[in-house]
Amino acid sequence: MLSDTPMRMTKQRKVILERLRSVTSHPTADEMYEMVRQDLPKISLGTVYRNLELMSEEGVVLKIDVGGSKKRFDGNTSTHYHLRCLNCGRVDDLHMEPVKGVEAEAAILSGYQVMTHSLEVRGLCPACGKKNTKSN
Ligand code: ZN
Ligand code: MN
């Protein structure tokens, strides 16, 4: 067990990370499982899930976890903002410069060592917005 498991973990982890970094769709664990299965047909959903959780704890990947909705994962760990559609749940990158001074001010106000900050803008994506307009 000791000789086999760590190697397999490393390979699985590498495939999961490569797949996640190749997309900008912020996939859920289930969506990641479907993608990774193309390379590793025998992998289980639990293994994909555990690896994603572990890598997010280590800061290798970003977990987008806002109450009520499914957790999504992001291979881009740099400070950047997101848009979330309240209808279909899709998450997109918001191509806007992170607001300057937030982290420094937060550190002064709180005494925290601030590493990063995030912002999520919520609304209807263009596709859902169109449908909404038509039905009203
Ligand atoms: Zn939508
Ligand atoms: Mn992102």
Side-chain angles (χ1 to χ4, degrees), residues 99-115:
V99 180
K100 291 208 169 59
V102 169
E103 292 173 18
E105 193 171 345
I108 290 164
L109 290 171
S110 67
Y112 269 56
Q113 271 184 50
V114 177
M115 276 82 170

Side-chain angles (χ1 to χ4, degrees), residues 85 87-90 125 128:
C85 178
N87 186 53
C88 69
R90 74 179 272 177
C125 73
C128 292

